[in-house]
């Protein structure tokens, strides 16, 4: 089926979702979770083929991002069940106004319609996006990356069977078979058929969608995330936060890419950092982190200085750009110049420095004494997420169910005319 035909089928399926009601949507989600587990063998076999084809062409970090195992599939199914347990975002009365002429005006949340999601090699996005869209009353059109094509296809087949078992149209979830750039361009320009386009992936994909889209598009995900260690920081806390933010899963958008250290503690703190991220990790059999230092950090640690683009690069790997700054003012200015507006953190025991940081750093999530890795729909209590929006309209930060709805005004009268 061609992309336009798939979009038309998805559009035609929307009324069934709109009229399904909460209980029926939840039943469909639970059936989708069951179908995912029932298809575990087929999904794992498809994933084995994808991983084998990708091996040697992508980094080990990205290969881990692509790979599935029984536990990851179980986690995907549990994520769907968690979405089913969340409150229905559709039909909420957001505001009510009673006019002097007797008109009653209600602002009510409604589904988007058709949500198209373009993503790269993360198979779990397939189930997360589909579950969120169904619960939010919208059809979901998925266009996964080539590296995960077989896996995403097997997952989609399972999810569609769950919809069928629950009596909803299979075309509420569909996967685009065209993996060419032309296929993506069709989604970006399908005015009247796509109500919202959400790209999830690297900077190149997101930039291409934002620049080329004729349909409404959410800018998501590119994460040049900073941690600033203030002179008043608990240094052991800072080391724990940095190691978690950089190494717990370096291939994701909320991983730390840049470290800023106050000059008054740099000579003491940076050698501790090297021990923690290099020597200790090697001794534990873990990948060490390569530190790419600016001139002042390199004066403490030695080695070649950072390259001209290192503070503007989403490494998605065991690499960390490190700079020494004169204080909170310079840290905030550095972040303003280099951040992508995703997630940035300060480690400090100084309330004034913390307040200055959270007030002036203009990112979707700003942290005090915590890892940037918490920027996630599940960690924020939203269930699984559709993506992390780094823009300010229409959503910002983790996009859960409420961010996948729009609204309309329902006006009730008794014959009023103007």
């Amino acid at each position: 089926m061609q992309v336009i035909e798939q979009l038309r089928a998805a559009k035609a399926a929307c009324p069934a979702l709109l009229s399904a009601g909460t209980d029926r949507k939840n039943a469909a989600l639970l059936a989708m979770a069951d179908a995912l587990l029932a298809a575990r063998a087929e999904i794992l076999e498809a994933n084995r083929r994808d991983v084998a084809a990708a091996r040697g062409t992508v980094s080990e970090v990205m290969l881990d991002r692509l790979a599935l195992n029984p536990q990851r599939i179980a986690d995907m199914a549990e994520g769907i069940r968690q979405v089913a347990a969340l409150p229905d975002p559709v039909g909420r009365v957001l505001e009510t106004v009673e006019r002097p002429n007797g008109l009653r005006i209600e602002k009510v949340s409604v589904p988007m319609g058709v949500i198209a999601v373009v993503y790269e090699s993360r198979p779990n996005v397939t189930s997360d996006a589909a579950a969120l869209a169904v619960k939010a009353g919208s059809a979901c059109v998925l266009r996964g990356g080539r590296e995960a094509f077989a896996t995403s296809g097997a997952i989609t087949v399972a999810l569609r069977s769950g919809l069928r078992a629950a009596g909803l149209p299979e075309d509420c979830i569909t996967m685009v078979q065209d993996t060419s750039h032309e296929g993506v361009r069709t989604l970006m320009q399908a005015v009247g058929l796509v109500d919202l386009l959400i790209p999830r992936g690297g900077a190149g994909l997101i930039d291409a969608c934002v620049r080329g889209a004729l349909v409404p598009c959410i800018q998501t995900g590119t994460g040049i995330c900073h941690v600033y260690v203030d002179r008043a920081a608990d240094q052991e806390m800072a080391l724990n936060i940095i190691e978690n933010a950089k190494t717990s899963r370096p291939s994701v958008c909320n991983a730390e890419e840049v470290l800023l250290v106050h000059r008054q503690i740099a000579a003491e703190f940076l050698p501790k950092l090297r021990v923690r991220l290099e020597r200790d990790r090697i001794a534990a059999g873990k990948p060490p982190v390569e530190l790419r230092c600016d001139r002042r950090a390199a004066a403490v640690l030695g080695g070649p200085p950072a390259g001209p683009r290192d503070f503007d690069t989403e490494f998605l790997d065991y690499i960390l750009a490190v700079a020494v700054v004169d204080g909170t003012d310079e840290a905030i200015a550095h972040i303003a110049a280099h951040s992508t507006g995703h997630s940035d953190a300060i480690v400090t025991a100084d309330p004034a420095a913390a307040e200055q940081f959270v007030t002036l750093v203009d990112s979707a999530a700003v942290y005090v004494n915590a890892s940037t890795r918490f920027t996630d729909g599940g960690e924020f209590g939203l269930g699984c997420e559709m993506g992390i929006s780094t823009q300010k309209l229409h959503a910002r930060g983790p996009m859960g169910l409420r961010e996948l709805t729009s609204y309309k005004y329902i006006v009730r009268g008794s014959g009023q005319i103007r």
Side-chain angles (χ1 to χ4, degrees):
M1 187 183 293
Q2 296 300 312
V3 176
I4 291 296
E5 292 174 347
Q6 289 183 291
L7 290 173
R8 286 175 178 149
K11 196 80 169 178
C14 286
L17 266 180
L18 191 60
S19 60
T22 302
D23 291 344
R24 203 159 165 220
K25 288 189 296 185
N26 287 343
L29 289 166
L30 296 177
M32 287 160 56
D34 291 343
L36 198 65
L37 294 176
R40 182 166 42 223
E42 293 84 351
I43 294 169
L44 289 174
E45 172 55 27
N47 187 247
R48 184 195 63 75
R49 298 197 304 272
D50 281 338
V51 170
R55 195 176 300 279
T57 65
V58 299
S59 69
E60 287 298 316
V61 170
M62 298 306 287
L63 207 61
D64 175 69
R65 194 171 177 171
L66 169 62
L68 291 180
N69 56 41
Q71 184 56 53
R72 287 186 175 180
I73 293 175
D75 290 344
M76 289 160 59
E78 180 57 28
I80 297 173
R81 293 193 182 101
Q82 289 174 4
V83 171
L86 291 171
D88 193 335
V90 177
R92 290 180 302 125
V93 178
L94 306 175
E95 295 177 29
T96 302
V97 176
E98 298 276 0
R99 299 297 298 151
N101 62 3
L103 287 179
R104 179 182 175 86
I105 304 171
E106 291 181 336
K107 183 180 180 181
V108 180
S109 62
V110 297
M112 284 288 179
V114 174
I115 300 175
V117 186
V118 181
Y119 57 105
E120 294 176 338
S121 56
R122 291 183 65 182
N124 65 294
V125 173
T126 307
S127 61
D128 288 355
L132 286 165
V134 168
K135 184 64 179 261
S138 288
C140 187
V141 177
L142 301 156
R143 194 279 191 183
R146 291 188 184 92
E147 295 88 352
F149 184 75
T151 309
S152 298
I155 292 169
T156 302
V157 168
L159 298 178
R160 284 167 62 92
S161 73
L163 285 174
R164 185 171 62 249
L168 287 177
E170 289 182 336
D171 287 326
C172 293
I173 302 169
T174 188
M175 180 176 150
V176 171
Q177 300 300 305
D178 184 349
T179 60
S180 68
H181 292 303
E182 186 59 38
V184 176
R185 192 175 299 110
T186 300
L187 291 177
M188 293 192 294
Q189 298 180 355
V191 176
L193 292 175
V194 172
D195 296 289
L196 182 64
L197 174 67
I198 303 176
R200 290 191 60 173
L205 169 66
I206 294 166
D207 186 62
C209 288
V210 171
R211 290 178 181 273
L214 300 180
V215 300
C217 180
I218 294 284
Q219 186 167 339
T220 65
T222 305
I224 299 178
C225 303
H226 297 70
V227 174
Y228 165 52
V229 181
D230 183 46
R231 64 184 175 183
D234 178 319
Q235 293 189 21
E236 185 63 24
M237 176 193 292
L239 291 171
N240 291 337
I241 288 172
I242 292 163
E243 184 172 22
N244 176 263
K246 177 70 261 184
T247 70
S248 61
R249 201 163 184 195
S251 65
V252 294
C253 61
N254 58 21
E256 179 192 4
E257 303 291 14
V258 178
L259 171 66
L260 307 174
V261 179
H262 195 293
R263 64 176 175 80
Q264 291 184 12
I265 63 167
E268 176 187 2
F269 182 76
L270 288 175
K272 294 180 183 177
L273 178 78
R274 170 161 280 172
V275 169
R276 174 68 75 92
L277 295 186
E278 293 183 0
R279 192 188 70 187
D280 289 356
R281 288 183 62 81
I282 291 171
K286 300 176 181 177
V289 176
E290 176 188 341
L291 303 178
R292 297 187 180 176
C293 301
D294 78 342
R295 178 180 52 81
R296 290 200 283 181
V300 176
L301 294 177
R309 296 296 302 166
D310 282 338
F311 291 96
D312 298 290
T313 298
E314 188 182 27
F315 297 113
L316 303 174
D317 205 344
Y318 293 99
I319 301 169
L320 183 64
V322 183
V324 174
V325 295
D326 287 335
T328 306
D329 286 340
E330 188 179 344
I332 292 168
H334 188 288
I335 291 169
H338 300 279
S339 172
T340 52
H342 192 296
S343 302
D344 298 294
I346 182 173
V347 185
T348 187
D350 180 354
E355 189 61 28
Q356 180 187 6
F357 191 87
V358 300
T359 300
L360 296 180
V361 171
D362 187 19
S363 294
V366 184
Y367 291 83
V368 178
N369 297 330
S371 170
T372 59
R373 287 281 286 113
F374 284 105
T375 307
D376 174 85
E379 295 294 338
F380 279 19
L382 306 176
C384 57
E385 76 201 19
M386 189 65 87
I388 309 289
S389 171
T390 54
Q391 64 184 36
K392 298 181 182 180
L393 298 173
H394 116 99
R396 195 179 197 193
M399 293 180 62
L401 288 170
R402 291 191 178 189
E403 289 72 31
L404 295 179
T405 60
S406 183
Y407 57 83
K408 67 182 177 185
Y409 290 95
I410 299 175
V411 185
R412 303 183 192 279
S414 54
Q416 291 88 338
I417 59 174
R418 181 176 177 179

